[in-house]
Amino acid sequence: MTDIESRIDTSRPHTARIWNYWTGGKDNYPVDREAGDRIRELHPGIGDYAKADRLFLGRAVRHLAEREGIRQFLDIGTGLPSADNTHEVAQRVAPDARVVYVDNDPLVLAHARALLVGTPEGRTDYLDADLRDVDAILAAAAKTLDLSEPVALMLLGVVIFVEDDEESYAVVRRLMDALAPGSHLVLSHTVTHPDMPDVDAAVAFWNEHGTPKLTQRTPAAVARYFDGLDLLDPGVVSCSAWRPETPAPPVAMYAGVARKP
């Protein structure tokens, strides 16, 4: 058994594996499926959130590669490999695109090394690190990415695991401060909203039974992550409403894309 495999805990449900279950993946365990089903009972639309967030990722990466000329992506909180991962979308547009994935979940890392293989022209790498390890992430990412050139910082559904508000904002600012002008922030976050009380019940269940615990924030609090950046239209909205190809109902995952001036 490798060191990474020895770190995999199958006794408690884990968020990456539950999202994998909700999106139709097979990289999960009975404990994850049981928790996922219970959360879905509390909030029947939760599986749609996972799918909407994944579709948002694809649209955002495709836009950045096609319209903004971005050729470098730093994807922190990767999650388990699925269809249309960041490097697949980016390298479909630009085969020479470079992508660095960062996660600290051992199951994610084990699968990433096996499945997240990029084009010969591009580069794909994987780092074992926590979002809070900003200096370590930047130092390791610089071996694959040229940080003097624009980079897309991908933070989808990951800052929700930093409980303290000021710490979470500070982490995002430190990462963006280290990136060149023309870089972009792509961020999504679970929200609490008076129109969606069942979301709060689902999150409470998760925080009692699952790992790691997550923090909801209001739409206004999510928008604060983009302070000092130039938001792309339509701003910070439900991720299903960010430039959809076809209209979709709103979900309690808010997202935005913004450019560093």
Side-chain angles (χ1 to χ4, degrees):
M1 179 181 292
T2 67
D3 175 62
I4 287 179
E5 290 172 334
S6 68
R7 289 162 48 196
I8 298 173
D9 180 3
T10 61
S11 65
R12 295 190 67 188
H14 193 283
T15 181
R17 302 193 305 252
I18 289 180
W19 276 62
N20 175 263
Y21 171 53
W22 284 334
T23 54
K26 299 179 180 179
D27 300 312
N28 46 72
Y29 297 93
V31 66
D32 306 308
R33 296 189 285 275
E34 181 179 350
D37 288 341
R38 177 62 179 136
I39 292 171
R40 192 147 44 191
E41 289 174 7
L42 294 168
H43 182 50
I46 193 68
D48 295 334
Y49 292 16
K51 294 174 183 176
D53 196 45
R54 171 58 58 165
L55 291 172
F56 163 70
L57 179 150
R59 295 194 302 273
V61 171
R62 189 164 55 251
H63 171 83
L64 293 177
E66 286 181 346
R67 303 295 181 87
E68 307 293 340
I70 299 297
R71 296 295 180 265
Q72 304 188 108
F73 296 81
L74 178 57
D75 187 336
I76 304 177
T78 304
L80 283 159
S82 181
D84 281 344
N85 301 289
T86 297
H87 76 282
E88 293 171 316
V89 178
Q91 292 175 355
R92 198 176 296 142
V93 175
D96 61 339
R98 298 184 173 201
V99 180
V100 173
Y101 290 107
V102 182
D103 210 296
N104 66 345
D105 182 290
L107 188 62
V108 169
L109 293 166
H111 283 75
R113 289 170 181 169
L115 299 176
L116 300 181
V117 179
T119 61
E121 303 95 326
R123 291 278 302 278
T124 307
D125 202 0
Y126 331 94
L127 306 178
D128 181 2
D130 185 277
L131 169 64
R132 300 172 182 84
D133 300 334
V134 173
D135 292 338
I137 288 173
L138 292 170
K143 297 176 182 178
T144 300
L145 308 178
D146 180 356
L147 301 187
S148 69
E149 295 292 329
V151 174
L153 174 63
M154 313 288 297
L155 297 174
L156 273 70
V158 64
V159 291
I160 60 176
F161 301 118
V162 182
E163 181 177 4
D164 183 81
D165 287 344
E166 294 311 314
E167 182 184 12
S168 72
Y169 294 127
V171 165
V172 176
R173 281 196 301 270
R174 286 177 62 199
L175 287 164
M176 288 303 298
D177 284 348
L179 302 181
S183 294
H184 286 71
L185 172 63
V186 182
L187 182 146
S188 68
H189 197 299
T190 304
V191 297
T192 180
H193 196 289
D195 293 340
M196 302 175 179
D198 48 348
V199 177
D200 297 346
V203 170
F205 175 86
W206 171 256
N207 284 340
E208 181 179 354
H209 299 280
T211 183
K213 299 190 185 318
L214 62 86
T215 299
Q216 293 170 277
R217 294 183 170 94
T218 64
V222 175
R224 185 179 161 191
Y225 288 104
F226 298 94
D227 284 357
L229 306 175
D230 297 330
L231 269 169
L232 277 60
D233 290 335
V236 179
V237 295
S238 168
C239 63
S240 60
W242 197 91
R243 305 189 180 193
E245 295 170 0
T246 57
V251 297
M253 288 286 294
Y254 271 51
V257 180
R259 183 182 186 276
K260 179 178 178 179

